Amino acid sequence: MPDALLTTKLHIPRAAPEFVPRPHLDARLDEGLKRKLTLVSAPAGFGKSTLVADWIHRRGAVIAPAGGKTPPLQAAWLSLDEGDNDPTRFWTYLIAAIQALDQEVGEEARQIIG
């Protein structure tokens, strides 16, 4: 288990200036809000993280059909690497990511992990 969490792993990255918007994929992600789970799958380097991070950042500024702003999207972010293959480390980081939205969620599990 990590002694100190790398908080950079919990921050949603910003898209690079050369990011190319893909409105059709944004629409698919918007449709995913109506479901319990949306899986974004593609080979490494195809821009999954960039797409989702950009969508999350822009989602709060989208104008709803009624003319009012949509509520900001609440999203937890966790960037994973090979070291996160350890179950204790993975769950520690996942709980920390979720607790960025709600401090009480996963508190009991966090205490059990140590």
Side-chain angles (χ1 to χ4, degrees):
M1 178 173 78
D3 292 325
L5 297 179
L6 297 174
T7 58
T8 55
K9 294 170 69 77
L10 307 177
H11 291 275
I12 302 170
R14 289 273 179 195
E18 62 272 6
F19 173 73
V20 177
R22 293 185 167 72
H24 65 288
L25 295 177
D26 285 346
R28 302 270 313 261
L29 290 171
D30 287 339
E31 282 295 312
L33 291 174
K34 300 173 186 171
R35 294 169 176 73
K36 292 182 181 182
L37 175 69
T38 299
L39 175 66
V40 178
S41 177
F46 273 60
K48 299 174 297 293
S49 295
T50 302
L51 170 73
V52 174
D54 180 70
W55 176 76
I56 290 168
H57 284 297
R58 290 184 303 104
R59 176 65 172 72
V62 173
I63 302 301
K69 286 186 94 172
T70 58
L73 180 68
Q74 289 193 322
W77 188 271
L78 175 56
S79 297
L80 299 173
D81 57 43
E82 289 181 21
D84 299 318
N85 217 15
D86 172 69
T88 301
R89 180 179 166 120
F90 171 78
W91 286 108
T92 299
Y93 271 104
L94 182 61
I95 292 167
I98 295 169
Q99 285 184 335
L101 299 175
D102 184 339
Q103 285 288 319
E104 295 179 18
V105 174
E107 186 57 32
E108 186 176 341
R110 189 187 64 74
Q111 290 176 6
I112 291 170
I113 291 171

